[in-house]
Amino acid sequence: MIFSIATKEWKLLLKEKGTFFWLLLMPVMFIVLFGTVLGQLGSTPQTLTYIDMDRSSASEALLASLEAKGGYKLEAKDAGTLDDELSRIREGKLSSLLVIPKGFDGALAEGGNSQASVVLYSDAASDTVAGLRTTLENVASDYREQRIDDALKSAGANEESRKQALQSPLRIEDKPQNSTESNTVTQVVPGYTVMFVFFVMISMIRRFVTDKTTGMTARLRTTRMSPLNYLLGMWLAYLGVALVQCTVLLAFGHYAYDVQLGDLSAIAALVFMLALCGTGIGLALSMVVRGENQGMAFVQLITMGGAVLGGLWFPLEYMPKAMQTVSHFIPQYWAQKAFQDIMVRGDHLSGILPSLAVLAAFAVACIAIALLRFRGFMKSALSG
Amino acid sequence: MSYAIEVEQLTKSYENKAALRGIGFKVEAGSCFGLLGPNGAGKSTTMKILSGLLEPDQGKARIFGNDLGTAANEVRKQVGYVPQSITLYEKLSAADNLVFFGEMYGVKGKELKRRIDEVLEQVGLADRAKDAVEKFSGGMKRRVNIAAALLHRPKLIIMDEPTVGIDPQSRNHIFEMIRSLQQSGVTVLYSTHYMEEVESMCDSLAIVDNGQVIAGGTLGEVMDRFGTQAVYLELQDGKAPPALAEYGKAEAKDGGWILETATPLDALADWAEVCKERSLKVKRLEMVRPSLEHVFLTLTGTTLRDN
């Protein structure tokens, strides 16, 4: 009888176009959109607008160095357009302008205490200027090293001793601890999978409320169906939906964006527990809410709030410390963490047990609430 | 005599408002029983109790001898409930709806398939089995609504206003179906606001008001006890007929005049005599059978019952 109720529900869901949109099409669209946008961040060269008033080999060398070090696409402007370009910066239409003044080459060649200078005009509100400034400082550091090297050479130092003198006392050894190559899509695919699993609550609340208000729940009570069968049948239906949804979205991420899923048995256990948790909350909400509108408000709060606090849209490190603490009370955080543990850090089932336990605790708590409220739900359905 | 339904002194209150105040009646097995009453009289509450949806505060109800309080599951096997509202999944086909309800009633496999074919034939929708219910007319939906309650071959069908808002053809089909069910031994408990439906189909009835039965018995018994006989007279010139002092005052109705009396034959003869004496041209002069609607309104009053 439980399976009959679930089968009926699956038939209904297959007939409702909105189900596909909310549960499959929408998350796929989000993954494609954010995967594409975030995946290409950094690969598109930033434009460096400049005015070279010196037009010397030294200024050309400086620009070539900036292009090589920062990966900038150089865009030259005439000296006569300086005022116009500065106006554009003030209007927020241009983020920065590098001006190499006349005499740059001479000042650079003069040596001694003389300093050649460049001017960086910038929009204080722009986030891209900091990167350009760092690149400029790196290039300036190269010039300084070159001057030291020239001075040591003049003093008669040989190449070996000059090399030793210029060698930094600090060496950085880069050793990534993740066993799998990580990229932004590795954040996006599980993030939106977790987020949209919770959207199954919309369909659950809508069905329970509709069944109650149309008298369907009451009519079914005149059959041999027990109230508990009804609850379990509906839950089984949406548990299945959430499992299929997760499978489709992760498979899409894997085949479309080459997201490495890691240990599949661990992923399967996590997906099951996530589906249990999401549908458990949906079940509890369906029993608690007074109507569909109230239910939708709760769903928005849980899905959107949980997405932000659970680190589904961006890494949690970007958030204030207090918010990071709050996120530990959000199921989405534990689901996303477990996905990252498996997919990025190469963890297996044993490594994600704490996350699975938290998701299971959420599921059990919500199912307990649903069971406690179920009598009231049925009473309300039967007296209507 | 065996009874399909025995109701004794049922009471039920909703938030201190009494819906049933000791209602009681018996329905003979295999009969069609009409439950009449104005809005809020307690009909639906009674039907919900008999269907196992509600528990009474006090009193007893037995279905084929099984106490609803102690043998509810056994009762559910024997009862098919047709609610007032159409409770079907509109997106699903008629057949899919019936598969679901059949399984809820515990019918499975080939037997379910056979029963679906049979009930669709019964309700005249065998050729529309695969169509989504949302494409059906109101009458067709009502028929599927009834079909869903027949799948498990119930011995008692409880129908709560099953013909509300449907076309005459569908209504006639439902009547034929009910008669057919009755002929096969099924007991029907029928609630409606249409008096002519009760008059044409029900063997016995109960009129309910304020949570109590105010009149009950066979149709003939109720009419004999509460229906006043009358004589109808209509003159060709449309004028008022001569008064018959000993019978009281005639009242205008349907273009003529009606005179209620316990001795309609005498009144008819006297009126004919007077008309003859005064050379009045008579269009119609006849004894009138009292209608159930008249009895109903006499017993329950004409005040609107919107709640």
Side-chain angles (χ1 to χ4, degrees):
Chain A
M1 204 160 276
I2 291 171
F3 195 71
S4 299
I5 294 168
T7 306
K8 174 269 298 175
E9 206 57 30
W10 288 326
K11 283 181 186 172
L12 275 172
L13 287 169
L14 286 172
K15 302 267 182 192
E16 290 168 0
K17 290 170 189 162
T19 308
F20 287 100
F21 181 77
W22 280 107
L23 300 181
L24 289 177
L25 199 61
M26 187 95 153
V28 164
M29 282 163 58
F30 268 78
I31 289 172
V32 169
L33 180 69
F34 287 93
T36 306
V37 170
L38 298 176
Q40 287 180 358
L41 270 185
S43 61
T44 307
Q46 197 183 327
T47 301
L48 169 58
T49 308
Y50 70 93
I51 294 176
D52 184 2
M53 293 175 169
D54 195 47
R55 292 184 178 279
S56 61
S57 57
S59 64
E60 282 174 13
L62 170 69
L63 290 167
S65 183
L66 283 170
E67 187 178 23
K69 275 192 179 293
Y72 293 105
K73 181 184 165 194
L74 299 176
E75 186 181 54
K77 297 285 180 186
D78 289 336
T81 63
L82 178 61
D83 288 341
D84 291 342
E85 297 303 324
L86 293 181
S87 294
R88 287 181 66 208
I89 291 176
R90 284 192 288 272
E91 289 165 7
K93 294 175 180 172
L94 184 66
S95 60
S96 62
L97 174 71
L98 181 71
V99 176
I100 306 172
K102 203 165 181 58
F104 173 78
D105 184 25
L108 204 60
E110 200 171 313
N113 291 327
S114 72
Q115 266 192 314
S117 64
V118 292
V119 184
L120 178 65
Y121 296 97
S122 64
D123 177 2
S126 172
D127 295 332
T128 61
V129 179
L132 175 59
R133 190 173 287 116
T134 304
T135 309
L136 275 168
E137 282 166 3
N138 283 339
V139 170
S141 177
D142 287 349
Y143 278 102
R144 188 172 62 249
E145 282 181 15
Q146 186 60 51
R147 178 173 280 186
I148 294 167
D149 190 46
D150 290 346
L152 289 171
K153 199 174 178 182
S154 303
N158 62 23
E159 191 176 346
E160 185 62 28
S161 57
R162 290 195 333 260
K163 197 176 174 184
Q164 277 185 2
L166 291 170
Q167 190 179 43
S168 172
L170 179 67
R171 188 163 64 94
I172 299 164
E173 288 185 52
D174 194 9
K175 290 184 177 176
Q177 292 301 293
N178 305 329
S179 61
T180 313
E181 275 293 311
S182 167
N183 55 35
T184 47
V185 182
T186 319
Q187 167 93 12
V188 169
V189 172
Y192 283 100
T193 302
V194 172
M195 178 178 152
F196 277 92
V197 161
F198 287 84
F199 272 88
V200 81
M201 293 188 292
I202 292 178
S203 301
M204 293 181 82
I205 291 169
R206 191 168 285 160
R207 179 72 65 232
F208 273 106
V209 170
T210 306
D211 271 8
K212 186 168 87 168
T213 52
T214 58
M216 181 59 83
T217 313
R219 179 170 196 172
L220 291 176
R221 192 66 193 100
T222 67
T223 69
R224 292 167 70 180
M225 179 206 79
S226 77
L228 199 59
N229 282 345
Y230 177 68
L231 194 70
L232 293 177
M234 297 286 265
W235 185 28
L236 175 66
Y238 289 97
L239 186 66
V241 169
L243 290 174
V244 170
Q245 184 193 23
C246 284
T247 307
V248 170
L249 296 181
L250 291 175
F252 177 78
H254 177 66
Y255 290 111
Y257 290 98
D258 200 26
V259 170
Q260 296 305 305
L261 298 177
D263 183 349
L264 287 182
S265 59
I267 286 280
L270 173 59
V271 162
F272 180 75
M273 208 52 83
L274 172 63
L276 212 60
C277 178
T279 52
I281 296 174
L283 210 57
L285 274 182
S286 302
M287 296 298 112
V288 169
V289 295
R290 291 181 183 275
E292 199 174 315
N293 288 342
Q294 192 187 40
M296 293 308 113
F298 275 117
V299 171
Q300 299 300 330
L301 187 70
I302 290 169
T303 52
M304 298 303 176
V308 174
L309 289 172
L312 305 184
W313 290 346
F314 45 78
L316 273 177
E317 292 77 27
Y318 293 175
M319 289 210 297
K321 199 72 187 164
M323 288 293 115
Q324 289 185 34
T325 307
V326 171
S327 69
H328 286 72
F329 297 94
I330 308 291
Q332 285 96 325
Y333 163 81
W334 294 97
Q336 176 74 345
K337 181 181 179 304
F339 271 122
Q340 299 281 321
D341 286 344
I342 300 166
M343 295 161 76
V344 178
R345 299 173 194 102
D347 268 355
H348 298 280
L349 193 58
S350 57
I352 60 162
L353 282 178
S355 295
L356 294 183
V358 175
L359 290 174
F362 271 109
V364 168
C366 289
I367 290 159
I369 291 171
L371 287 171
L372 283 172
R373 291 283 305 168
F374 187 51
R375 184 182 283 269
F377 173 86
M378 285 305 284
K379 192 176 174 189
S380 157
L382 300 186
S383 62
Chain B
M1 186 180 293
S2 66
Y3 292 106
I5 302 173
E6 294 166 273
V7 173
E8 293 169 16
Q9 292 295 312
L10 281 189
T11 64
K12 179 74 185 174
S13 295
Y14 299 109
E15 295 172 359
N16 297 327
K17 189 181 175 190
L20 300 182
R21 304 164 193 260
I23 197 169
F25 57 88
K26 288 179 180 178
V27 177
E28 204 176 319
S31 70
C32 181
F33 187 89
L35 200 57
L36 297 174
N39 288 336
K43 304 186 299 294
S44 288
T45 301
T46 305
M47 289 188 149
K48 283 180 177 177
I49 288 172
L50 294 174
S51 307
L53 285 177
L54 293 178
E55 287 180 14
D57 296 335
Q58 285 181 326
K60 289 271 181 192
R62 283 185 292 276
I63 306 285
F64 296 108
N66 294 302
D67 192 296
L68 268 168
T70 55
N73 285 337
E74 188 56 35
V75 168
R76 284 196 175 94
K77 292 178 191 172
Q78 299 175 327
V79 176
Y81 175 62
V82 183
Q84 191 175 335
S85 56
I86 295 169
T87 44
L88 300 167
Y89 290 107
E90 298 248 331
K91 294 274 178 196
L92 295 185
S93 68
D96 279 340
N97 268 286
L98 295 178
V99 166
F100 173 61
F101 278 106
E103 287 174 346
M104 292 302 100
Y105 280 116
V107 190
K108 292 174 191 168
K110 287 180 182 171
E111 168 65 8
L112 177 57
K113 194 174 178 310
R114 188 165 46 247
R115 283 298 296 150
I116 289 172
D117 291 342
E118 285 171 7
V119 295
L120 281 172
E121 196 68 46
Q122 267 181 294
V123 298
L125 290 169
D127 56 336
R128 302 292 300 271
K130 302 277 183 199
D131 291 352
V133 169
E134 66 185 349
K135 292 178 183 167
F136 286 4
S137 68
M140 291 159 79
K141 287 178 187 175
R142 287 259 168 222
R143 283 184 271 153
V144 182
N145 208 33
I146 294 171
L150 303 176
L151 291 159
H152 59 304
R153 299 181 193 277
K155 289 162 69 182
L156 168 67
I157 307 273
I158 297 177
M159 294 178 155
D160 195 353
E161 300 186 33
T163 58
V164 170
I166 62 171
D167 57 289
Q169 283 77 16
S170 285
R171 181 185 284 193
N172 186 57
H173 199 105
I174 290 171
F175 292 166
E176 293 300 327
M177 199 169 65
I178 291 170
R179 289 189 186 104
S180 166
L181 286 168
Q182 214 188 332
Q183 280 167 11
S184 62
V186 175
T187 308
V188 180
L189 177 62
Y190 194 91
S191 161
T192 181
H193 283 298
Y194 303 119
M195 303 298 155
E196 70 275 16
E197 291 184 359
V198 176
E199 285 179 300
S200 72
M201 283 194 308
C202 295
D203 306 302
S204 51
L205 62 100
I207 297 175
V208 181
D209 199 10
N210 295 317
Q212 290 175 311
V213 173
I214 55 172
T218 64
L219 186 62
E221 286 169 352
V222 171
M223 299 302 274
D224 285 348
R225 186 169 171 201
F226 300 100
T228 311
Q229 305 213 53
V231 177
Y232 178 83
L233 172 62
E234 187 178 345
L235 299 177
Q236 278 191 348
D237 57 11
K239 288 183 178 172
L244 298 176
E246 64 270 41
Y247 297 100
K249 193 179 176 187
E251 288 182 4
K253 190 182 179 189
D254 301 335
W257 298 80
I258 196 149
L259 184 65
E260 289 186 356
T261 171
T263 53
L265 203 59
D266 294 341
L268 187 138
D270 290 349
W271 234 347
E273 184 65 32
V274 173
C275 287
K276 195 175 175 184
E277 284 172 3
R278 299 186 189 181
S279 303
L280 297 171
K281 291 190 175 175
V282 174
K283 190 176 176 185
R284 274 176 64 197
L285 176 59
E286 60 196 19
M287 280 178 63
V288 180
R289 183 177 176 269
S291 71
L292 184 59
E293 184 168 350
H294 185 77
V295 171
F296 181 82
L297 288 173
T298 304
L299 289 171
T300 61
T302 52
T303 310
L304 291 172
R305 309 286 185 94
D306 292 330
N307 296 312

